[in-house]
Amino acid sequence: MDAPEVPDIRFSLANERTFLAYERTAIGLVAAALAVFHLLEPSVTQKVLGLLLLASAVIAAGGGWLRFRQADRAIRSGRDLPAGTTVHLMAAAVLVVIVAAGISVVV
């Protein structure tokens, strides 16, 4: 078994920046959830919205970490980057949060 290559540092740093962007997104989603819980009227729809924001933060943080590890392994072994599902999950989570936010405003 061959030892992993030392990759061009630019690729590793770009991968790290992408990971940090996922983490910043997760922090923003947690902040939005806390704002919903503390600043809006305590109703079922507001609680659901806050929980959806927290779930989206978990997807962003966990998915970002998994994507970072996948990309790092591919970079070090000289393979193409694998297709990831985190972006698709985040897009779906954002759509669900938008719908929930719209419902919470109407109800």
Side-chain angles (χ1 to χ4, degrees), residues 36 40 43 45-47 49 97-107:
V36 166
L40 299 178
S43 67
T45 56
Q46 304 304 340
K47 288 179 184 177
L49 178 59
V97 167
I98 288 169
V99 169
I103 290 171
S104 72
V105 169
V106 173
V107 174

Side-chain angles (χ1 to χ4, degrees), residues 25-41 45-58 97:
T25 300
I27 290 168
L29 289 165
V30 169
L34 290 174
V36 166
F37 286 133
H38 290 288
L39 300 177
L40 299 178
E41 302 267 336
T45 56
Q46 304 304 340
K47 288 179 184 177
V48 168
L49 178 59
L51 290 173
L52 287 172
L53 286 164
L54 285 176
S56 298
V58 169
V97 167

Side-chain angles (χ1 to χ4, degrees), residues 17-104:
R17 283 191 302 274
T18 302
F19 169 66
L20 293 174
Y22 276 107
E23 299 309 299
R24 282 191 306 272
T25 300
I27 290 168
L29 289 165
V30 169
L34 290 174
V36 166
F37 286 133
H38 290 288
L39 300 177
L40 299 178
E41 302 267 336
S43 67
V44 173
T45 56
Q46 304 304 340
K47 288 179 184 177
V48 168
L49 178 59
L51 290 173
L52 287 172
L53 286 164
L54 285 176
S56 298
V58 169
I59 291 170
W65 172 251
L66 292 175
R67 181 67 182 155
F68 172 78
R69 297 297 303 149
Q70 286 177 335
D72 188 55
R73 281 193 295 271
I75 290 168
R76 290 182 183 281
S77 65
R79 292 180 284 121
D80 289 338
L81 293 177
T85 58
T86 303
V87 172
H88 304 294
L89 285 173
M90 281 304 303
V94 167
L95 286 174
V96 169
V97 167
I98 288 169
V99 169
I103 290 171
S104 72

Side-chain angles (χ1 to χ4, degrees), residues 5-23:
E5 296 179 21
V6 176
D8 185 340
I9 192 67
R10 293 174 292 179
F11 298 127
S12 294
L13 291 174
N15 189 32
E16 186 176 311
R17 283 191 302 274
T18 302
F19 169 66
L20 293 174
Y22 276 107
E23 299 309 299

